[in-house]
Amino acid sequence: MGFVENLKQKAAQNKKRIVLPEGYEERTLRAADQVLAEGFADIILIDDEENIRKNVEKWGLKNIDKATIVDPKKNPKKAEYANLLFELRKNKGMTIEKATQLAEQNLYLGCLMIKAGDADGEVSGADSATGDVLRPAFQIIKTKLGNSVVSGAFLMFLQNKEYGENGVMVFADCAVNPVVTAPQLAEIAVATGKTARVLGGFEPRIAMLSFSSKGSAKNEVVDKVVEATRIAKELAPDMQIDGELQADAAIVEAVAAKKAPGSNIAGKANVLIFPSLEVGNIAYKLVQRLGGAEAIGPVLQGIARPVNDLSRGCSVSDIVKMIAITADQAQEN
């Protein structure tokens, strides 16, 4: 059974309610139709109900009648959600009038439904900028207890099965934080290890990457990775974590034997933690485009309830995969 089918099978064992705020968008509706046909998640669509019904007929969709449709303008729980938002944000200057307006906006409504316990996770971004997806998530759902940072991981499926976990690796942070501190980098490492366990189904071997291996170079950038490695080991003593390592030392055993002898991670890493967003984003795109890898993500980590962002160039298949991922994350929560 393939990776995505495993995700769907796990999701189906304890179905979660995944809200799709872009209920007007064609790829989103087609993905919802497929998910409902396969039956591995319950779907909540947010948009004008008449508009959804019209598009369902226009595109010949057969399963949307199984979805729950929430019309932001006619929502009977609008006042309840507006009051929830007001209470959450009143110390930041939120008024009940502004909260009522925001409770009618699809992306805010999706997060309010999750916060109120009426949904378990969200997938959005096919027609919205990342900042617009994340802003209500940060304001309403916030980070997990003990977390100070949200990060984005990519599941990378490599053509060469010798690398990672039979060709599967997890890269982070590739999507959210331009610059992080050592403690934040440590948090990202631990969160990504958990993602490998929950979604990848394997025990993480986490390499903290730099341009230095075990003191081969001296620089404050390297020092940050060394400190992050120390903190990450304290945060998660049950995980295998090592650094600082160069990329080749992390994944090639012959190189590891020379650059990091005695390391239990070097040459065998299946999780790569990059020292900055710039490095991580460039790396995953190069591996994807030049190496022919399939990249699934970004999977957002560190939010108290799962909210995942899509690329605006995503396909129906991409959305279906992300719904399965979000459902599995929701099971963990």
Side-chain angles (χ1 to χ4, degrees):
M1 185 181 294
F3 174 81
V4 174
E5 291 308 312
N6 279 330
L7 288 177
K8 292 178 180 179
Q9 185 179 77
K10 181 182 175 185
Q13 292 170 1
N14 181 13
K15 287 205 293 186
K16 296 299 178 181
R17 303 160 297 173
I18 307 303
V19 60
L20 307 178
E22 297 165 326
Y24 55 86
E25 202 272 334
E26 182 175 358
R27 291 164 298 169
T28 299
L29 274 179
R30 291 189 182 279
D33 194 67
Q34 182 177 330
V35 170
L36 291 165
E38 295 184 35
F40 63 82
D42 293 325
I43 297 295
I44 302 168
L45 295 167
I46 298 179
D47 198 43
D48 177 88
E49 184 168 2
E50 185 177 339
N51 186 50
I52 290 177
R53 299 295 181 193
K54 180 180 67 176
N55 287 332
V56 164
E57 184 176 353
K58 175 182 174 182
W59 296 322
L61 306 179
K62 306 296 184 184
N63 300 285
I64 297 299
D65 59 341
K66 300 175 186 176
T68 299
I69 297 175
V70 178
D71 188 325
K73 303 291 186 184
K74 301 175 183 177
N75 179 15
K77 299 187 75 171
K78 180 169 63 176
E80 177 184 330
Y81 291 150
N83 191 62
L84 173 60
L85 180 56
F86 169 69
E87 290 296 330
L88 287 168
R89 302 288 296 170
K90 62 184 178 182
N91 291 336
K92 301 289 186 179
M94 180 65 67
T95 65
I96 192 63
E97 292 79 15
K98 180 63 174 176
T100 300
Q101 293 173 6
L102 290 174
E104 291 184 351
Q105 294 184 14
N106 294 26
L107 292 171
Y108 272 85
L109 177 54
C111 289
L112 286 166
M113 292 184 71
I114 294 170
K115 187 69 173 181
D118 296 328
D120 301 305
E122 175 187 307
V123 175
S124 195
D127 192 45
S128 305
T130 295
D132 293 333
V133 173
L134 295 185
R135 192 174 303 108
F138 291 158
Q139 292 178 0
I140 297 166
I141 301 173
K142 305 183 181 180
T143 57
K144 287 182 178 178
L145 185 64
N147 282 60
S148 66
V149 65
V150 172
S151 58
F154 277 84
L155 297 160
M156 305 296 295
F157 297 85
L158 312 174
Q159 293 191 9
N160 190 334
K161 305 301 182 185
E162 293 179 10
Y163 296 115
E165 195 72 17
N166 193 32
V168 181
M169 302 189 79
V170 188
F171 289 8
D173 178 13
C174 305
V176 181
N177 298 281
V179 181
V180 291
T181 64
Q184 288 174 327
L185 190 59
E187 280 187 32
I188 291 169
V190 174
T192 309
K194 292 177 181 177
T195 293
R197 284 174 173 169
V198 173
L199 301 180
F202 55 80
E203 275 301 304
R205 298 186 295 275
I206 303 169
M208 309 290 285
L209 298 185
S210 184
F211 59 83
S212 168
S213 292
K214 297 298 184 178
S216 64
K218 301 296 183 182
N219 186 275
E220 61 183 14
V221 177
V222 177
D223 293 342
K224 181 178 78 171
V225 176
V226 172
E227 177 66 3
T229 303
R230 182 190 67 78
I231 296 169
K233 288 179 177 179
E234 290 180 354
L235 291 174
D238 63 324
M239 288 186 184
Q240 298 181 70
I241 305 169
D242 201 13
E244 87 284 12
L245 294 169
Q246 291 166 285
D248 56 354
I251 63 174
V252 180
E253 290 197 53
V255 176
K258 296 178 181 178
K259 292 187 174 183
S263 170
N264 63 338
I265 298 297
K268 300 174 286 189
N270 52 27
V271 174
L272 302 183
I273 304 301
F274 299 95
S276 71
L277 174 58
E278 182 178 40
V279 178
N281 191 268
I282 291 169
Y284 104 78
K285 289 181 184 293
L286 286 175
V287 173
Q288 179 186 32
R289 300 299 179 181
L290 300 183
E294 180 184 5
I296 297 180
V299 177
L300 296 184
Q301 309 173 137
I303 299 180
R305 295 290 182 270
V307 174
N308 282 311
D309 180 39
L310 298 160
S311 164
R312 278 175 280 182
C314 64
S315 66
V316 172
S317 176
D318 292 333
I319 301 173
V320 171
K321 290 173 186 174
M322 194 57 76
I323 291 171
I325 285 171
T326 306
D328 284 0
Q329 287 180 302
Q331 287 183 356
E332 288 300 309
N333 283 332

